[in-house]
Amino acid sequence: MAEKLLEVKDLKVYFEMKKGLAKSLFGKPEILKAVDGVSFTINKGEILSLVGESGSGKTTTAKAILQLVPVTGGSVVFNGEEIVGKSDLTEFRKKAQMIYQDPYQSLNPRQYISDIVGEPLEVNGLVSTLEERDAKIKEALEEASLIPAEDYWFRRPFELSGGQRQRAAIAGSLILKPDLVAADEPVSMLDASIRTGIIDLMLKQRDMKGVAYLFITHDLSLAWLISDKIAIMYLGKIMEIGTAQEIVHESRHPYSKALLDIMPIPGKTLTEKRKILQGETPNASADIKGCKFCGRCPLATEICFEEEPTYKEVSPGHLVYCHKVEEEKTSD
Amino acid sequence: MKLLEVNDLKTYFKTSKGYVRAVDGVTFSLDHGECLGLVGESGCGKTTTALSITRLLPKGGEVKGGQIFLEGVDYATLTDKEIEDHRWEDVSIIFQGAMNAFNPVKKVGWQIAEACIRHKGMTKDEAWKRAGELFELVGIPAERVTQYPHEFSGGMKQRAMIAMALACDPKLIIGDEPTTALDVMIQAQILELLEDLRKKLNMGMILITHDLSILGETCDKIAVMYAGRIAEMGTVDDIFNHPAHPYTKALLACFPNIYSNERTVPEGIPGIPPDLIDPPEGCRFCPRCKCAFEACSKETPEFKEISEGHFVSCHLMGKEENHG
């Protein structure tokens, strides 16, 4: 059996909203539930994609796992060790890294590429001599296909194209040889033709070094392409989680189905009108009593507005957060 | 008469290093009620083409050659003063990034009403009423005309942007990446709205995007641009099912298809687009093209019609014929 790397249980991240003085003195504080009870596991060398619209809590989940935002509740076990509330995170930081969305903003414009990539080594005191440092940077740059490394050594980010910048950012994250990388929409800013090169680079690291990824994206087809497992998020909750094939071809939750239904397939002419969900995602600070999705769900009935659904296992590892799923089964 | 005819359009930007040939010989036409998708990677000249048609080029940009006929009027030769009467009335544009396209300190309804007063000679009251009607048309409650942009969500701002573009019943509407910053569900809503409006109002439409996959359902024709030129143009069926240009084929292969049985990561296109200050001789895709041969780096391929309405700019086309 595959070895468990990360286990997230009932993770919650709440933010208190800022408001006027009078309200903050007399009213109840308004709470924004960015992540509201998320659980999943990632095995070594596995890729789990979090898919959802903006505001669904994908990025906050990743940041909470990496302890970059305060966690309100739940547990994060990494390599068998509880991370939430741990005071010394030095070891954890070396083993869990993040890649950000926008390579135009995530790199320091005043630094040389070699310094950006090599900084984690110095911060963590992993190299003692200059030669050792340079050798490691060279290796990292070459692994990221920035070849020859010397050409990029004394360049600054503005001299690189978007794809090259993202490669440099990835080289910086991978230089510490992490076990887990949280990649927050790493290719959404890049052109389609550049995109696959970056994906390829990330997959190679997985195959060669067993890096596991928490991959955040809004693009379901991309998630399907690379992931072992996919979790569909909506308003801070996982709606459905399963293998990539299960989510894309045997989805059970109405929200996953809606997302799949609007996916444009190049070259396929439409035979019938798409079922597009009307309205927009409600504000995450809104108090929703029942199912988070009830307001926009085409199948919603009374119970959906009253009671929160539980996760139902429709097949091993394929969990669905919906009242209607079992009913479907019995009626079949 | 065709609604829009663009002939050999050349738009250059003046920089200290020389002219950037952002658009360098683009030719296409559009009928009333027809929709053309303009697709390509960043920097290929899609937006510059749109801005040339509406004559909204930023400083340094200049139409250096070619004609832009909209119902027989050559927009390329009009003075700045003359074009003002045509802009919004005949051709309007939905800008990229609706989040930032509105003036944040003016009411959304007023920003639409302003255009009606300027172009249609309406009174203030009439213009406000018109703004309300337009809001209803794009699916926003009319009473929200008096709100400010920050009170709108991203999808609603984009809808309001569309309402603004429709204010003076234009014959041609240009959507410059109208859904790029939006969530997938909202993107589907906006595309559906544009499609409905186009049919209802019989407008011509140019939809600019970098995402080839969304064009299949909305457009009649697609033009694939690369480095300031059109590489291939044809019907949706031509482009998706019978692509002829190596760039079109490579670009199509970059989009994962969830209905294929195998999950293989597409190859992508190695290399980067050329520098448009000093573009390569011959075909501009040549340095990245897998099929390139001698002639490709020497001569510019002609824009050839290989079947009715299907144009390709590639030396391979002639080559195959010779061999066959």
Side-chain angles (χ1 to χ4, degrees), chain B residues 31-235:
Chain B
D31 267 325
H32 290 268
E34 201 175 34
C35 180
L36 171 79
L38 214 51
V39 68
E41 297 178 79
S42 358
C44 72
K46 313 178 292 277
T47 300
T48 307
T49 305
L51 295 179
S52 306
I53 296 170
T54 49
R55 292 278 301 277
L56 286 168
L57 289 165
K59 215 177 158 216
E62 223 180 310
V63 176
K64 280 279 181 189
Q67 295 104 25
I68 306 161
F69 288 109
L70 201 122
E71 294 203 310
V73 183
D74 187 359
Y75 279 27
T77 58
L78 293 181
T79 63
D80 287 349
K81 200 82 198 142
E82 286 167 330
I83 189 90
E84 271 181 27
D85 292 330
H86 293 282
R87 211 183 281 147
W88 294 121
E89 272 180 70
D90 292 333
V91 52
S92 66
I93 184 162
I94 305 166
F95 292 103
Q96 187 171 10
M99 317 293 160
N100 311 318
F102 278 108
N103 183 340
V105 295
K106 285 186 174 167
K107 287 172 182 162
V108 178
W110 174 244
Q111 299 186 44
I112 296 170
E114 253 182 335
C116 303
I117 294 170
R118 161 70 177 79
H119 290 282
K120 294 269 170 185
M122 290 182 181
T123 64
K124 254 188 178 179
D125 286 345
E126 282 169 347
W128 275 107
K129 210 173 138 242
R130 171 83 180 140
E133 286 165 17
L134 287 164
F135 262 42
E136 296 274 329
L137 190 65
V138 296
I140 310 176
E143 59 270 18
R144 298 193 68 159
V145 285
T146 53
Q147 288 185 329
Y148 289 92
H150 74 267
E151 295 172 274
F152 280 39
S153 71
M156 272 178 30
K157 273 188 224 174
Q158 193 56 277
R159 281 172 193 268
M161 205 58 227
I162 294 171
M164 190 167 177
L166 294 172
C168 304
D169 302 310
K171 295 168 190 123
L172 173 67
I173 191 163
I174 301 175
D176 185 7
E177 305 259 13
T179 60
T180 303
L182 304 172
D183 274 320
V184 280
M185 201 59 76
I186 311 293
Q187 166 171 305
Q189 289 174 3
I190 297 288
L191 287 176
E192 195 186 32
L193 171 71
L194 283 173
E195 175 79 352
D196 287 348
L197 288 171
R198 175 168 73 93
K199 294 213 170 112
K200 208 192 282 176
L201 307 171
N202 195 32
M203 291 181 299
M205 194 188 300
I206 298 178
L207 206 58
I208 296 174
T209 177
H210 66 274
D211 186 353
L212 193 54
S213 59
I214 66 167
L215 289 178
E217 291 149 28
T218 345
C219 297
D220 303 306
K221 290 199 291 193
I222 295 177
V224 181
M225 280 189 78
Y226 184 79
R229 290 186 182 147
I230 295 179
E232 183 168 3
M233 181 164 72
T235 62

Side-chain angles (χ1 to χ4, degrees), chain A residues 4-13 35-42 61 64-65 67 71-78 81-84 236-238 241 311 319:
Chain A
K4 226 178 248 178
L5 175 69
L6 176 80
E7 188 166 20
V8 180
K9 255 194 206 142
D10 203 26
L11 184 70
K12 284 184 178 139
V13 181
V35 179
D36 197 12
V38 161
S39 309
F40 57 80
T41 57
I42 299 182
T61 305
I65 290 167
Q67 305 297 304
V71 173
T72 312
S75 90
V76 177
V77 176
F78 183 77
E81 201 180 352
E82 174 63 51
I83 299 299
V84 176
K237 272 259 180 221
I238 290 179
I241 184 168
Y311 285 97
L319 301 175

Side-chain angles (χ1 to χ4, degrees), chain A residues 52-54 161 190-197 199-200 203 218-228 244-245 248-249 255 258-260 262-270 273-281 296, chain B residues 40-42 153-156 159 182-189 192 196 210-214 216-217 236 240-241 247 251-273 288:
Chain A
E53 296 177 80
S54 7
S161 71
L190 305 174
D191 271 317
S193 69
I194 311 288
R195 215 172 264 187
T196 53
I199 295 293
D200 212 41
L203 291 180
H218 63 272
D219 183 347
L220 197 49
S221 61
L222 181 63
W224 168 80
L225 190 68
I226 63 166
S227 322
D228 299 298
Q245 290 292 358
V248 169
H249 296 295
Y255 182 61
L259 280 182
L260 279 161
I262 55 157
M263 263 178 56
I265 307 297
K268 206 166 157 242
T269 31
L270 270 193
K273 233 180 163 144
R274 294 182 178 287
K275 294 175 227 83
I276 299 173
L277 288 180
Q278 292 309 309
E280 293 173 18
T281 316
R296 297 173 78 191
Chain B
E41 297 178 79
S42 358
S153 71
M156 272 178 30
R159 281 172 193 268
L182 304 172
D183 274 320
V184 280
M185 201 59 76
I186 311 293
Q187 166 171 305
Q189 289 174 3
E192 195 186 32
D196 287 348
H210 66 274
D211 186 353
L212 193 54
S213 59
I214 66 167
E217 291 149 28
V236 172
F240 283 121
N241 301 327
Y247 178 64
L251 196 59
L252 277 168
C254 290
F255 291 91
N257 182 351
I258 56 163
Y259 292 107
S260 66
N261 298 320
E262 267 181 68
R263 291 195 296 168
T264 41
V265 178
E267 268 179 69
I269 308 172
I272 50 168
R288 297 172 80 185

Side-chain angles (χ1 to χ4, degrees), chain A residues 56-320:
Chain A
S56 61
K58 312 183 292 281
T59 303
T60 311
T61 305
K63 285 190 171 167
I65 290 167
L66 295 185
Q67 305 297 304
L68 298 172
V69 292
V71 173
T72 312
S75 90
V76 177
V77 176
F78 183 77
N79 269 334
E81 201 180 352
E82 174 63 51
I83 299 299
V84 176
K86 198 173 175 240
S87 56
D88 180 21
L89 290 170
T90 333
E91 278 309 306
F92 173 68
R93 292 259 181 262
K94 281 185 215 167
K95 290 291 160 204
Q97 287 285 317
M98 184 135 180
I99 299 170
Y100 292 93
Q101 175 171 13
D102 187 351
Y104 292 85
Q105 289 179 23
S106 65
L107 304 178
N108 185 340
R110 289 163 175 263
Q111 281 186 318
Y112 291 129
I113 294 301
S114 54
D115 292 333
I116 293 172
V117 173
E119 197 178 5
L121 294 173
E122 287 149 32
V123 170
N124 288 296
L126 290 178
V127 284
S128 41
T129 64
L130 209 58
E131 287 79 41
E132 205 185 341
R133 172 183 176 268
D134 287 357
K136 284 203 170 174
I137 295 173
K138 186 163 183 275
E139 191 193 329
L141 285 173
E142 280 171 358
E143 270 174 19
S145 300
L146 293 173
I147 299 171
E150 289 76 20
D151 275 9
Y152 295 92
W153 209 265
F154 291 116
R155 288 219 230 166
R156 292 198 166 88
F158 72 88
E159 295 173 279
L160 267 52
S161 71
Q164 288 170 335
R165 278 181 227 214
Q166 197 59 295
R167 285 176 189 276
I170 292 173
S173 317
L174 293 175
I175 200 164
L176 295 175
K177 311 219 179 321
D179 292 331
L180 175 74
V181 173
D184 187 3
E185 304 254 20
V187 296
S188 66
M189 301 287 287
L190 305 174
D191 271 317
S193 69
I194 311 288
R195 215 172 264 187
T196 53
I198 302 288
I199 295 293
D200 212 41
L201 167 65
M202 294 175 62
L203 291 180
K204 260 195 202 131
Q205 295 294 322
R206 195 255 322 245
D207 295 340
M208 280 160 44
K209 300 188 178 152
V211 181
Y213 289 98
L214 175 65
F215 193 87
I216 296 170
T217 179
H218 63 272
D219 183 347
L220 197 49
S221 61
L222 181 63
W224 168 80
L225 190 68
I226 63 166
S227 322
D228 299 298
K229 283 190 278 190
I230 297 179
I232 307 272
M233 282 190 78
Y234 185 80
L235 278 184
K237 272 259 180 221
I238 290 179
M239 295 286 120
E240 185 169 6
I241 184 168
T243 64
Q245 290 292 358
E246 278 167 349
I247 297 294
V248 169
H249 296 295
E250 296 154 44
S251 64
R252 302 293 291 269
H253 196 283
Y255 182 61
S256 338
K257 284 184 184 168
L259 280 182
L260 279 161
D261 200 59
I262 55 157
M263 263 178 56
I265 307 297
K268 206 166 157 242
T269 31
L270 270 193
T271 39
E272 51 189 306
K273 233 180 163 144
R274 294 182 178 287
K275 294 175 227 83
I276 299 173
L277 288 180
Q278 292 309 309
E280 293 173 18
T281 316
N283 193 325
S285 61
D287 207 9
I288 298 169
K289 205 173 153 198
C291 169
K292 294 260 185 193
F293 186 56
C294 64
R296 297 173 78 191
C297 183
L299 305 177
T301 51
E302 221 169 284
I303 182 168
C304 304
F305 291 90
E306 295 294 325
E307 254 177 66
E308 217 192 309
T310 50
Y311 285 97
K312 285 166 196 155
E313 194 158 19
V314 290
S315 62
H318 184 181
L319 301 175
V320 186

